[in-house]
Amino acid sequence: PLPGWESLADVLRPFVVARDPPQVRIVTVPRSFHEKVSAGTGQSFFEFMAKNVGARRARGEFVLITNGDVMLNDQVYQMLGAEMLDRDSYF
């Protein structure tokens, strides 16, 4: 996360732990992974690589992948928590 911002994992955690048992697994790609892969670009973070690693490690029925500039409101989390997703749709 950007300095001064909560990580997505920290924002989602209250919604995840409210379930018994939790049905959401949060995958955080460690900064050390990004530090190993610079590809001579000078970038210190590769968002697309983090998404790919997270998607590959995902074990659930649904995968939520966002961008750093996407703001999700409480209604999205409530919808996810209420299991309102359609298996035959892409969101």
Side-chain angles (χ1 to χ4, degrees):
L2 296 171
W5 288 77
E6 287 184 273
S7 71
L8 180 58
D10 290 338
V11 172
L12 289 175
R13 194 162 282 108
F15 296 95
V16 173
V17 298
R19 302 294 306 254
D20 185 27
Q23 297 182 6
V24 175
R25 180 173 171 244
I26 299 170
V27 177
T28 301
V29 178
R31 183 167 301 281
S32 61
F33 173 84
H34 297 282
E35 291 169 353
K36 290 178 187 176
V37 185
S38 68
T41 65
Q43 291 178 295
S44 61
F45 181 80
F46 292 90
E47 183 177 341
F48 67 94
M49 288 185 180
K51 290 177 187 179
N52 289 340
V53 170
R56 284 189 200 115
R57 292 182 181 176
R59 294 185 227 145
E61 190 172 351
F62 296 100
V63 177
L64 172 64
I65 298 175
T66 66
N67 290 329
D69 59 353
V70 172
M71 302 294 287
L72 302 174
N73 64 28
D74 289 345
Q75 292 163 325
V76 172
Y77 301 116
Q78 291 168 2
M79 182 189 80
L80 294 171
E83 300 180 14
M84 296 173 62
L85 297 177
D86 180 354
R87 288 172 178 79
D88 297 322
S89 299
Y90 290 92
F91 298 89

